[in-house]
Amino acid sequence: MFRLKVNKWRFGTNLAGVRYATTTTTHGNHYQYLQNSKLPTLYFQRSLPRLPIPLLEKTCERFLAAVQPLLSAEEQRDTQQVVDQFRQGVGMELHARLKQSDEANKHTSYISQPWFDMYLSDRAPLPLNYNPLIVMRDDTRPAYQPQVTRATNLIISSLRFWRSLQANILEPEVYHMNPKKTNTDNYRRWMAISPKAFATYASYAFKAFPLDMSQYSRLFGTTRLPKLGKDELVQSADSKHILVMRRGNMYAMNVLDSSGYIESPSVILGRLKSILALDAQKQSASVPLGVLTTQQRDQWARARTHFVSNPKNADLLEREVDAALFCVCLDSEEDGMYNEADQVPLIKHQLAGKATNRWFDKSISLLISADGVAAVNFEHSWGDGVAVLRYFNEMYWDTQKQPFVSATSPHTPAEGDASNVRPLNFEIDDRTRADVEAAYAHNAEIVDSLDMNYLQYPHLTKGTCKHHGLSPDSIIQLAFQLAYRQAFKRYVGTYESCSTSAFRHGRTETMRPCTIATKAFCEAVLQPSQKQPSAVELRAMIDKCSIVHGQLTKEAAMGQGFDRHLFSLRHTAMLEGLPMPALFETEAYKRINYNIISTSTLGTDTVVAGAFGPVVKDGLGVGYSIQNEFAGAIVTSYKNQAQGKEFVDSLASAFEQILAIIEQSSKSAKAETRN
């Protein structure tokens, strides 16, 4: 499932200390490469530690602790018995087999292949179920915000990032505990003389933690192909073009020259303008093929098989669409524009919308509205938030620091240049037309059933939390628990993702924010006022919640959670045709994995919004952030399935209650000190 949360790993710091070559020609390093790192991009990859498989006993303990808030005392006792039997019996056998498999595949992690299999085998449609949305901060300079201008700069920055990655001169991804001390030339000099086999451990001595970069190679030129039963990822190593979509019409546009250099800014700008001019002369696509990528995956596989039975369609689809470096969707005014008073319509459109101007199978799609609002919608099977956020941040800051075109920049005319700007004219028969119509109707029905609610709470900020010595993430997760409990009178399975990219081929681990500590706090707050503990006592409970949250975060980041271990044990049983252990049939296991509240946060100033669909029909998809100005959340739900509006209203109340406790306890502490 999509979870962009990358606990504590911050991005954007790698720009410091990077030096560019002085040449300013379009074939010079300054233009062709985003960075010229002193350390090769994959310098630390060989020495990254392997993702540990937790002890079976610890996994069982953590599972029992996590399900306790969701179960009655009797259910907990029954679950304890099943877990004890699992730990002493079949669990030991499965654990041994998993360890044996892991030992035989030292080049990767125990979770990597099962996680790929999980994504690629799921038959659910990509939009809302998997593909997430990240909305970029606007360019506040009017000369750089217009659609075609911003698209050109974002394309160039994307290509500069990609070419740096290809040339192995993109800065390695490193989490610096103290960037001012370690994100320096001195640190890089010490790392450069460290043997590659031990470089990661040498970096640890500086309190700088290298992260896995194995997913980065699939950022560009990658497409998820629909196949019956299980999809396939394909990648083109020598692409020189991107896919551009406008009103459902599709164009292949070359962005690299015959030698593989990025075309000049005026050429890229001219080709984009020529596409807009071409498109203005025709109607919106009467059969928008991109809608097919919203289908259930087996349905799309069958539709695609028929479509490519026509050799011309097969050639165009494979050569121009599948092989494109990435997709650029230039939306028109009718698709919606930014409205500060109500951001929901545009975000909903970018997340899923009509899908007539999308190709959801591409690894990366840049979405740019008619007024220049930019976003990334990405296919999730190939990787997680570490790679996407790094690319997203570098692309944004590059366009801020050195945009290559403005609204007044001259362009190189490309009208009539059919070799570099190629309209994709597919041959569409009645079967494909019917497939598109059916896909459009089904997607429209799903999107119409999607409810989206947005909250900005200005009084609880990152600064507020830090001033009072509290973890911002633990506070906002506590607010989610309080909001759900007071609105719906129960506790439910809650999902928060944590990156395990500190390990080779790490993916994610699940954090379970609904704990005995959060439950105790919620129950105390919701007592009648005369029975409610004092503000100081409630603040102590908040501190306890924060400590527990921090410990769970640390365990997850170090590969010591329980979800991925149990997932892999279950996967091992299925893979080897063994009977499914009773543990995986318990109400406890089903309940905690039925994620009613699924959360994801984006810890970066370049992002103004993030959204994804609920992971279960009666659930809530909560994209949240706590910034210097506000705490905010975009909550998705399905109408008549879950009450997203009630949750958001309750969340505002939860923020108010938690803030009041923090402030009142602080006043009480100060008064006691004075006395």
Side-chain angles (χ1 to χ4, degrees):
M1 300 296 172
F2 160 62
R3 305 294 162 258
L4 263 183
K5 174 79 190 305
V6 186
N7 275 299
K8 306 288 186 182
W9 310 136
R10 299 293 179 180
F11 301 87
T13 56
N14 286 340
L15 288 172
V18 175
R19 292 176 178 170
Y20 298 96
T22 55
T23 178
T24 57
T25 65
T26 57
H27 281 186
N29 289 352
H30 176 73
Y31 178 67
Q32 291 295 321
Y33 300 106
L34 183 74
Q35 296 174 358
N36 186 15
S37 174
K38 292 179 178 179
L39 296 175
T41 304
L42 299 178
Y43 187 74
F44 296 103
Q45 197 67 25
R46 177 184 167 191
S47 61
L48 284 173
R50 299 196 65 218
L51 181 67
I53 298 177
L55 295 173
L56 181 61
E57 184 176 350
K58 286 293 185 182
T59 288
C60 291
E61 287 176 8
R62 290 166 181 146
F63 170 73
L64 286 169
V67 298
Q68 189 174 353
L70 310 181
L71 304 177
S72 67
E74 183 180 356
E75 288 173 327
Q76 185 73 10
R77 285 193 298 272
D78 292 343
T79 304
Q80 176 80 58
Q81 290 180 356
V82 176
V83 169
D84 287 344
Q85 292 169 1
F86 177 80
R87 185 181 69 246
Q88 297 163 13
V90 67
M92 293 178 65
E93 180 185 351
L94 292 174
H95 182 75
R97 294 193 186 198
L98 179 63
K99 294 276 286 184
Q100 184 179 23
S101 173
D102 185 54
E103 187 66 22
N105 293 278
K106 292 185 177 180
H107 64 287
T108 187
S109 69
Y110 77 91
I111 193 62
S112 182
Q113 192 57 51
W115 212 239
F116 273 118
D117 292 343
M118 180 272 294
Y119 272 115
L120 295 174
S121 298
D122 197 336
R123 303 292 80 199
L126 297 187
L128 299 184
N129 295 296
Y130 283 109
N131 282 35
L133 175 76
I134 320 173
V135 184
M136 185 177 287
R137 190 173 293 279
D138 278 350
D139 196 316
T140 57
R141 303 163 296 180
Y144 300 103
Q145 182 67 14
Q147 183 186 47
V148 72
T149 304
R150 197 160 201 215
T152 301
N153 284 320
L154 290 172
I155 289 169
I156 293 170
S157 293
S158 297
L159 295 170
R160 282 157 49 78
F161 181 94
W162 175 69
R163 292 212 70 214
S164 301
L165 180 64
Q166 294 289 94
N168 207 23
I169 57 174
L170 187 75
E171 281 279 308
E173 186 62 43
V174 178
Y175 169 61
H176 295 274
M177 291 287 287
N178 189 339
K180 291 181 180 179
K181 289 186 177 180
T182 60
N183 194 11
T184 62
D185 286 346
N186 186 51
Y187 162 78
R188 293 177 179 85
R189 279 193 293 269
W190 278 105
M191 291 303 100
I193 62 174
S194 301
K196 273 193 176 183
F198 306 102
T200 295
Y201 296 93
S203 185
Y204 291 167
F206 289 81
K207 295 189 176 179
F209 299 88
L211 304 183
D212 178 75
M213 297 188 73
S214 62
Q215 298 173 6
Y216 283 61
S217 62
R218 286 195 170 102
L219 266 167
F220 301 99
T222 303
T223 291
R224 175 171 171 169
L225 292 186
K227 300 285 184 178
L228 290 175
K230 182 181 177 182
D231 290 353
E232 177 186 349
L233 289 174
V234 296
Q235 188 169 22
S236 176
D238 56 358
S239 297
K240 292 182 170 59
H241 71 279
I242 60 174
L243 173 66
V244 179
M245 301 186 70
R246 172 76 171 177
R247 298 189 305 155
N249 298 312
M250 303 169 72
Y251 305 85
M253 181 183 120
N254 284 357
V255 289
L256 304 178
D257 65 18
S258 58
S259 299
Y261 290 105
I262 304 171
E263 295 279 16
S264 71
S266 67
V267 166
I268 293 176
L269 177 61
R271 289 176 186 171
L272 277 182
K273 286 190 171 184
S274 74
I275 286 176
L276 292 175
L278 272 172
D279 204 70
Q281 298 170 16
K282 58 173 75 171
Q283 299 292 320
S284 299
S286 60
V287 185
L289 292 171
V291 174
L292 293 172
T293 64
T294 70
Q295 286 185 306
Q296 190 264 5
R297 300 306 290 179
D298 281 345
Q299 290 178 343
W300 172 207
R302 285 188 283 268
R304 179 175 168 123
T305 297
H306 169 76
F307 185 68
V308 299
S309 63
N310 179 315
K312 178 183 178 182
N313 292 341
D315 177 61
L316 284 176
L317 200 58
E318 293 168 14
R319 176 166 48 87
E320 305 286 37
V321 177
D322 298 341
L325 285 168
F326 52 91
C327 181
V328 175
C329 303
L330 300 176
D331 287 346
S332 59
E333 290 186 9
E334 66 188 32
D335 294 318
M337 295 193 289
Y338 179 74
N339 180 350
E340 186 173 358
D342 185 8
Q343 302 175 36
V344 165
L346 179 61
I347 294 173
K348 189 175 179 180
H349 168 73
Q350 290 176 323
L351 176 61
K354 295 182 293 185
T356 54
N357 203 48
R358 301 285 183 268
W359 198 267
F360 287 110
D361 289 0
K362 289 302 295 180
S363 55
I364 291 289
S365 290
L366 280 175
L367 318 180
I368 304 163
S369 68
D371 52 352
V373 174
V376 166
N377 188 303
F378 70 95
E379 196 280 314
H380 207 337
S381 66
W382 61 269
D384 304 306
V386 171
V388 177
L389 270 181
R390 168 74 185 277
Y391 157 66
F392 188 94
N393 286 338
E394 301 279 24
M395 175 174 59
Y396 173 81
W397 288 117
D398 192 44
T399 61
Q400 291 297 296
K401 292 180 178 182
Q402 50 180 350
F404 288 95
V405 300
S406 71
T408 58
S409 295
H411 67 276
T412 302
E415 284 75 8
D417 186 1
S419 63
N420 288 306
V421 178
R422 303 179 293 278
L424 305 186
N425 297 315
F426 295 99
E427 293 179 354
I428 297 171
D429 62 13
D430 289 343
R431 162 78 183 274
T432 295
R433 186 181 299 273
D435 285 339
V436 170
E437 289 175 354
Y440 179 88
H442 186 251
N443 181 68
E445 182 180 351
I446 293 174
V447 173
D448 184 61
S449 72
L450 183 73
D451 196 17
M452 185 178 284
N453 292 275
Y454 181 62
L455 172 67
Q456 271 194 5
Y457 185 76
H459 308 299
L460 186 62
T461 66
K462 190 183 297 183
T464 307
C465 292
K466 290 184 176 180
H467 174 73
H468 291 284
L470 294 164
S471 158
D473 191 68
S474 70
I475 290 299
I476 203 165
Q477 286 288 347
L478 180 58
F480 295 153
Q481 295 303 312
L482 178 56
Y484 200 90
R485 169 62 180 85
Q486 68 183 358
F488 308 116
K489 314 297 188 244
R490 63 188 180 123
Y491 300 96
V492 293
T494 307
Y495 185 108
E496 179 183 5
S497 182
C498 179
S499 172
T500 53
S501 59
F503 300 94
R504 191 187 316 158
H505 291 194
R507 295 287 310 229
T508 59
E509 180 57 85
T510 306
M511 263 274 299
R512 295 295 179 178
C514 182
T515 66
I516 288 297
T518 62
K519 183 175 182 178
F521 171 79
C522 294
E523 293 304 313
V525 168
L526 296 175
Q527 289 290 320
S529 56
Q530 63 271 21
K531 294 184 179 180
Q532 199 176 91
S534 69
V536 172
E537 291 171 318
L538 289 172
R539 169 60 200 261
M541 298 180 81
I542 290 177
D543 289 340
K544 174 65 174 176
C545 293
S546 190
I547 290 169
V548 171
H549 188 88
Q551 180 62 27
L552 292 176
T553 299
K554 181 179 178 181
E555 289 175 358
M558 296 307 294
Q560 295 297 326
F562 69 87
D563 276 84
R564 298 299 179 266
H565 188 195
L566 288 180
F567 173 88
S568 296
L569 295 177
R570 185 173 183 271
H571 182 268
T572 300
M574 295 173 63
L575 203 63
E576 303 199 11
L578 299 175
M580 188 55 59
L583 168 62
F584 302 113
E585 304 296 337
T586 61
E587 182 63 26
Y589 187 81
K590 293 176 183 177
R591 200 173 294 176
I592 200 167
N593 284 287
Y594 193 80
N595 296 300
I596 296 286
I597 306 174
S598 184
T599 71
S600 171
T601 189
L602 302 163
T604 170
D605 294 335
T606 63
V607 175
V608 293
F612 55 93
V615 298
V616 294
K617 288 297 180 184
D618 55 344
L620 305 167
V622 185
Y624 70 95
S625 64
I626 183 162
Q627 302 184 11
N628 293 327
E629 301 85 15
F630 61 86
I634 296 174
V635 179
T636 58
S637 59
Y638 290 109
K639 297 171 185 174
N640 302 319
Q641 297 280 345
Q643 294 78 43
K645 178 65 165 58
E646 287 84 346
F647 176 77
V648 166
D649 290 344
S650 184
L651 181 58
S653 170
F655 283 149
E656 289 174 1
Q657 292 174 77
I658 291 172
L659 181 61
I661 292 166
I662 293 170
E663 291 179 340
Q664 183 59 46
S665 64
S666 180
K667 289 178 183 177
S668 299
K670 288 178 181 177
E672 189 174 324
T673 301
R674 285 195 300 268
N675 294 335

